Amino acid sequence: MSEIVIYGKPTCPHTKRALAAYPGARFVDILASETNLEEMLRLSDGQRRIPVIVEDGKACVGFRRGS
């Protein structure tokens, strides 16, 4: 099973829902360091929307219940 990584902000409701939907995911706080933010922007092709969910090397921007 591949690792799932979720980039977002700890206070963001969409990020919280994504983390609840993927309980084993690793969380990367984009506010914690400039490096984390730059990595998220690279993965999302510069989009400043969160969360960014990375699974099997593919990034998905945003989260909706049932996605």
Side-chain angles (χ1 to χ4, degrees):
M1 186 171 187
S2 66
E3 179 184 42
I4 297 172
V5 182
I6 298 176
Y7 292 81
K9 298 177 188 177
T11 57
C12 171
H14 304 294
T15 299
K16 288 179 181 181
R17 283 196 291 278
L19 288 167
Y22 297 98
R26 180 170 63 91
F27 174 65
V28 178
D29 183 351
I30 63 167
L31 298 177
S33 76
E34 187 68 26
T35 302
N36 290 354
L37 175 60
E38 289 171 1
E39 188 174 318
M40 183 213 70
L41 290 171
R42 180 182 57 77
L43 291 164
S44 68
D45 291 326
Q47 292 187 59
R48 291 185 171 265
R49 290 181 43 218
I50 56 173
V52 173
I53 303 168
V54 181
E55 184 174 8
D56 294 328
K58 291 190 75 172
C60 174
V61 179
F63 178 79
R64 289 186 213 172
R65 192 177 314 268
S67 305

